[in-house]
């Protein structure tokens, strides 16, 4: 059975303004299923060693009401996996596998589901928290050369869209958009932000402006950030791009690179999702820290009926 009846871009611009529901943190659900995410490859380790668990995690989010499943490819890169003994062909196969596993869950769902292939930032494959800093010291050309083979491998798997996500740095966004332009694929671009700027410290207006003229970018926004950062970032993105917006924050936790753990906030941080949607958010969900299927089910219940097949 087809995963969805039409392109995701059309669902984001259709009448009614209802948001399409993203899934939550894949790592969160895999940990809940008892998977070992240690060793620097994070969800990529489970993708390689226990693909059945990745499929089960995707299925849990689909049952919760998610209409977009994001693949387990965020931290999969050829150089990083080579350090763990994976050759280029094996890593390329794993990238395609990530799309296939999400696609299986999408086909089995009782409602329309799209598959978004996750293209995580360069810093993610370093496994040292540098995706929350950016400023890697690499040029646009060097970053494009890093992302190009993984993007091509993901596209060969046949996703509906690419998720250029958790991008901390406008320089890396430029590199990703360069590669995107070479492929003809559709994607959303999502920065991780703090204190009203990119994690690398660039003004959000400048960062979002990079995507304004790209017809291949179907949405722009933020993910893996404090929920309080979302609305002002969306407003900046809307002013600069006029595109549909995407928002999938975490629970307000902060990544501690020294201990490789998340430090939770002292109190629960509210998610004003209605305000996000009024600002133009058409893709809404959760990211990483403690955003599991139960939270997505809550969003689904407040958002209204699913898009039935």
């Amino acid at each position: 059975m087809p995963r969805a009846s039409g392109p995701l871009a059309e669902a984001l611009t259709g009448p009614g303004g209802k948001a399409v529901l993203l899934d939550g943190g894949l790592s969160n659900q895999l940990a809940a299923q008892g998977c070992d995410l240690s060793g620097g490859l994070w969800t990529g380790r489970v993708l390689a060693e226990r693909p059945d668990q990745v499929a089960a995690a995707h299925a849990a989010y689909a049952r919760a009401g998610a209409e977009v499943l994001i693949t387990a490819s965020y931290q999969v890169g050829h150089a990083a996996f080579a350090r763990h003994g994976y050759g280029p062909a094996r890593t390329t196969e794993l990238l395609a596998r990530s799309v296939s596993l999400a696609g299986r869950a999408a086909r089995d769902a009782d409602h329309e589901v799209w598959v978004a292939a996750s293209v995580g930032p360069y810093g993610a494959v370093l496994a040292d928290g540098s995706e929350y800093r950016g400023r890697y010291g690499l040029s646009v050309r060097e970053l494009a050369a890093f992302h190009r083979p993984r993007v091509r491998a993901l596209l060969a798997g046949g996703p509906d869209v690419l998720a250029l996500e958790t991008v901390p740095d406008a320089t890396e966004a430029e590199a990703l958009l360069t590669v995107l332009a070479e492929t003809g694929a559709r994607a959303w671009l999502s920065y991780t932000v703090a204190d009203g700027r990119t994690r690398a410290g660039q003004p959000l207006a400048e960062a979002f402006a990079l995507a304004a003229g790209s017809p291949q970018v179907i949405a722009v926004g933020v993910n893996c950030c404090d929920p309080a950062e979302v609305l002002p970032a969306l407003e900046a993105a809307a002013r600069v791009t006029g595109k549909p917006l995407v928002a999938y924050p975490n629970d307000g936790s902060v990544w501690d690179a020294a201990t490789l753990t998340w430090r939770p906030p002292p109190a629960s941080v509210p998610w004003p999702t209605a305000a996000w949607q009024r600002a133009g958010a058409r893709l809404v969900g959760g990211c990483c820290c403690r955003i599991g299927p139960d939270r997505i089910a809550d969003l689904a219940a407040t958002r209204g009926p699913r898009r039935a097949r």
Side-chain angles (χ1 to χ4, degrees):
M1 183 178 291
R3 297 193 297 237
S5 60
L8 180 59
E10 293 181 3
L12 303 185
T13 56
K18 181 185 290 186
V20 175
L21 191 62
L22 299 171
D23 58 10
L26 190 64
S27 60
N28 182 90
Q29 181 58 20
L30 289 173
Q33 293 171 192
C35 297
D36 186 354
L37 305 182
S38 65
L41 296 182
W42 200 36
T43 56
R45 175 178 179 178
V46 187
L47 176 67
E49 298 177 359
R50 302 193 66 187
D52 58 314
Q53 290 295 318
V54 175
H58 286 314
Y61 280 114
R63 287 193 301 271
E67 297 167 312
V68 179
L69 300 176
I70 302 174
T71 64
S73 50
Y74 175 84
Q75 206 152 358
V76 181
H78 290 82
F81 270 58
R83 292 193 292 271
H84 291 265
Y86 293 83
R90 175 60 170 155
T91 301
T92 295
E93 186 275 329
L94 289 175
L95 288 163
R97 172 189 285 181
S98 73
V99 179
S100 175
L101 292 172
R104 182 192 311 171
R107 287 190 296 274
D108 290 343
D110 64 356
H111 57 282
E112 286 198 311
V113 178
W114 290 267
V115 171
S118 173
V119 183
Y122 173 80
V125 305
L126 302 180
D128 63 357
S130 58
E131 69 261 50
Y132 301 111
R133 298 190 300 270
R135 303 289 191 188
Y136 312 122
L138 300 178
S139 67
V140 170
R141 184 174 181 177
E142 289 170 323
L143 287 168
F146 164 78
H147 284 294
R148 189 171 288 112
R150 57 204 298 253
V151 166
R152 289 175 175 170
L154 288 167
L155 289 175
D160 297 296
V161 68
L162 297 174
L164 312 179
E165 59 178 355
T166 325
V167 180
D169 194 321
T171 300
E172 185 160 28
E174 185 177 352
L176 286 163
L177 293 171
T178 297
V179 175
L180 184 68
E182 298 168 358
T183 68
R186 296 294 187 95
W188 76 68
L189 173 65
S190 180
Y191 288 98
T192 177
V193 300
D195 301 320
R197 304 172 79 87
T198 69
R199 297 279 185 161
Q202 297 118 344
L204 291 182
E206 294 179 12
F208 286 122
L210 293 172
S214 172
Q216 295 168 248
V217 175
I218 66 170
V220 294
V222 293
N223 76 290
C224 205
C225 63
D226 190 302
E229 297 276 353
V230 172
L231 185 57
L234 294 182
E235 291 171 341
R239 285 193 299 269
V240 173
T241 71
K243 292 179 180 288
L245 305 178
V246 55
Y248 51 122
N250 56 39
D251 70 344
S253 294
V254 176
W255 178 252
D256 186 332
T259 62
L260 300 180
T261 58
W262 288 95
R263 288 188 283 106
S268 177
V269 181
W271 280 27
T273 53
W276 300 348
Q277 291 183 59
R278 286 193 297 270
R282 295 294 176 264
L283 283 165
V284 176
C287 187
C288 60
C289 195
R290 284 190 297 281
I291 307 300
D294 54 346
R295 188 68 172 269
I296 301 305
D298 290 343
L299 288 176
T302 59
R303 196 220 48 181
R306 302 171 180 173
R307 291 170 172 81
R309 288 193 187 276

